[in-house]
Amino acid sequence: MVKGREELQAGSEFIVTVNLVGCLRDLYPHLAEQEVIELDRPVKVAEMIARLGISSRMVLFATVEERLVPKEALIDRSCEVNLISPPAGG
Amino acid sequence: MQYGYAGKILKINLNSGDYSAGSIPKELSDQYLGGRGFVARILYDRLKPGTDPLSEDNLVVVATGPLSGHLLPGSGKTHFGALSPATGGYGDSNLGGHFGPNLKYAGYDCLIIEGAAEKLSTVIIDDDKIRVVEDESLRGKGAIEAEKALKTRLGDDFQIITTGPAGENEVAFACISHDFGRQAGRTGIAAVLGSKNVKAVAVRGTGALPVYDSAGAQKKGEEMYRVCYSKPGFKTWTPYGTASLTDWANEVGAFPTRNFQSSYFEFHHAINGQAIRDHLLVTEKGCFGCPTPCGKYGLAETTVGKAYVEGPEYESIATLGGSCCLESIEEVAYANYVCDQLGLDTISAGVVVSFAFECYEKKVITKEEVGRDISFGSLEDVIYLLEKIAAREGIGEPLSKGVKHAAAVFGGGSEKYAIQVKGLEWSGYECRNAPGMMLSYMTADVGAHHNRSWALGYDISESDADVSALISAGTSGELGVATPEGKVDHVISMQHSRPLFDALGICRLQTQEIGFETEHYEEVFELITGRRVSWEAMIGISERIWHLTRLFNVKHIEGFGREYDYPPRRLTEDPVTTGPNKGRFIKREILDRMLDEYYEKRGWDKNGVPTEETLERWNLNNGQVVDLRW
């Protein structure tokens, strides 16, 4: 679940809701379908993927608020991010 | 009455033209669910060892699942099976579209076609009116052309499967076509139809299906659609479909290129999902009940010709594009169209043609044998070979039986680059840095096919020793070396979960690609059938089917065992020539280690044959056959 702003820990600036799509759930069973990350500074999508312990190679697309973004895109506000794996073989 | 099922199995004998229908034995639905389960059990029970796949003694079994045709996401799937002319073992393939639901609405969950017609015929199932109609006018017609002709004649409300000239001519990798571009592509079932002189099967069903809790099932079905639409992956999956794999497969070094000499194709950006949208796409197209239409219907214009075509899907891009080195999406799509009309499986066809290119390049076959110069990258040469294969003319004759057979005819060491397992050509993933995916191909019951297990994700994700370093290097950094450790469990798990969808008669892409939860299927299964069966219990049924198809191969392929599970030597001896995995290959010792572990965990002996204990556990050694006499 997405935490409300009032629940943010001291020092955190914004929260990012990350949805894992496709085979990422199978590959990383310790992660939930929806993960919430608290950030205290802007980060690149790639860094956020690393923070979750996901191999960058298994993220085919990333979207921020439903818009395709490169992995170098900066996340600097509360938003919803989708990480989409390659199709698992058709 | 069994809720959820139409209730009957229809048998058509082409020798006599007689047909009969009987109830589905409860033990069949309880122990095998439907679809792939019905196909496997019926073929296992009814085919004798020594049967020639292209004789009238073979059967074609068409089966829907208990969820097929009901109002829920992805319920348009139909399964086809026969003793495969490609492998001599268990063969099956699956298609979407609308055929299966209509078969159920006509009153039949399953259709068994036996014997052979004297003349080219169409089987027509119009609710309870069954006819076998001789029709020589369809001879030689393309699969899509034949469907169009029959739709014009019978009416648009008939759902039709057809074969092309390749099926009529019994090419080992002839495919079944439906809905102007959907195929049950693999294992040569259309060649078996061709041997029976069946050009097409047309069905129109107007009946209803019995549902245990009709209101509850409808409510649940509506909820399932809402859940699909709400999934974050919904909006990103549909625009590109399977073609979105193309760039990724190149970046991780898994794209079959130049007949699997390499795993990286430098023109991949020109044949990817975006290229389809930019240069081909006319509209998206889905199957019965589909909330996530992945089909791409487009117009391909090339110097050779232009055509409307559905696709190409990733697998066709990989084999016709990468393996044959076609450098534009229009060329790949046009080659796809030629395969569709001829009724050739694009996966096998691409691998067979690229094998011929390499044999020619290496002077294993001569210009005189081929009939002209041929080379990688030429659309004209691809089409030339496809037409020769479908007609079984000249060089097309040995190639029409697949690369394993052709290599035996050609000699010259060409078996090393005949990329197949068990006689079935390898689909779209090069595996020399992917031991889990390699094992998936090696142990798939039908031969080298990806849909039973796709362990490539585990290979790639677990090969990254330092994620941060990879990210800073972007996607062009060097890949870690994938290890075989832990892969066997992943492969076995996938070999149960993925084929289960084929037994239920539903598409797995909603679960696999957009994260649709399997709990929904448990619930809707209970509402439709009145039976509470957990997903775990269904996985158990899928495991039973897996042992059964292995037994099928033991029964029908003389000397079947471990030797049939190895890939060609190219993949264990020759390093990848270019790309991220340049220099890599997997030694046979590693494959042996994985096979030993795989057999042990499966409960098979060291030769890969299920043990007595395993057969007993799955109730497969009682000598009983499911009674289909009526």
Side-chain angles (χ1 to χ4, degrees), chain B residues 247 391 400 458 470 474 625:
Chain B
D247 289 341
S400 74
Y458 291 104
L470 276 165
V625 296

Coordinates of all heavy atoms in Angstrom, one line a residue, chain B residues 247 391 400 458 470 474 625:
Chain B
D247 N 14.7 -6.5 -28.9 CA 15.9 -5.7 -28.4 C 16.5 -6.4 -27.2 O 17.7 -6.5 -27.1 CB 15.5 -4.3 -28.1 CG 15.2 -3.5 -29.4 OD1 15.6 -4.0 -30.5 OD2 14.6 -2.4 -29.3
A391 N 6.4 -27.6 -51.5 CA 6.1 -28.5 -52.6 C 6.9 -29.8 -52.6 O 6.6 -30.7 -53.4 CB 6.4 -27.7 -53.9
S400 N 12.1 -30.7 -46.1 CA 10.7 -30.8 -45.7 C 10.5 -31.7 -44.5 O 9.5 -31.7 -43.8 CB 9.8 -31.3 -46.8 OG 10.0 -32.7 -47.1
Y458 N 15.6 -16.4 -15.4 CA 16.5 -16.8 -14.2 C 17.9 -16.8 -14.6 O 18.8 -16.4 -13.8 CB 16.1 -18.2 -13.7 CG 14.7 -18.3 -13.1 CD1 13.6 -18.8 -13.7 CD2 14.5 -17.8 -11.8 CE1 12.4 -18.8 -13.1 CE2 13.3 -17.8 -11.2 CZ 12.2 -18.3 -11.9 OH 11.0 -18.3 -11.3
L470 N 26.5 -3.1 -13.5 CA 25.8 -3.3 -14.7 C 25.0 -2.0 -15.1 O 24.9 -1.6 -16.2 CB 24.9 -4.5 -14.7 CG 25.5 -5.8 -15.0 CD1 24.7 -6.9 -14.5 CD2 25.8 -5.9 -16.4
G474 N 25.1 0.6 -18.3 CA 24.0 0.6 -19.2 C 23.7 -0.8 -19.6 O 24.0 -1.8 -18.9
V625 N -6.9 -48.2 -19.7 CA -7.1 -47.1 -20.6 C -8.4 -46.5 -20.4 O -9.4 -47.1 -19.9 CB -7.0 -47.6 -22.1 CG1 -5.7 -48.2 -22.4 CG2 -8.1 -48.6 -22.4

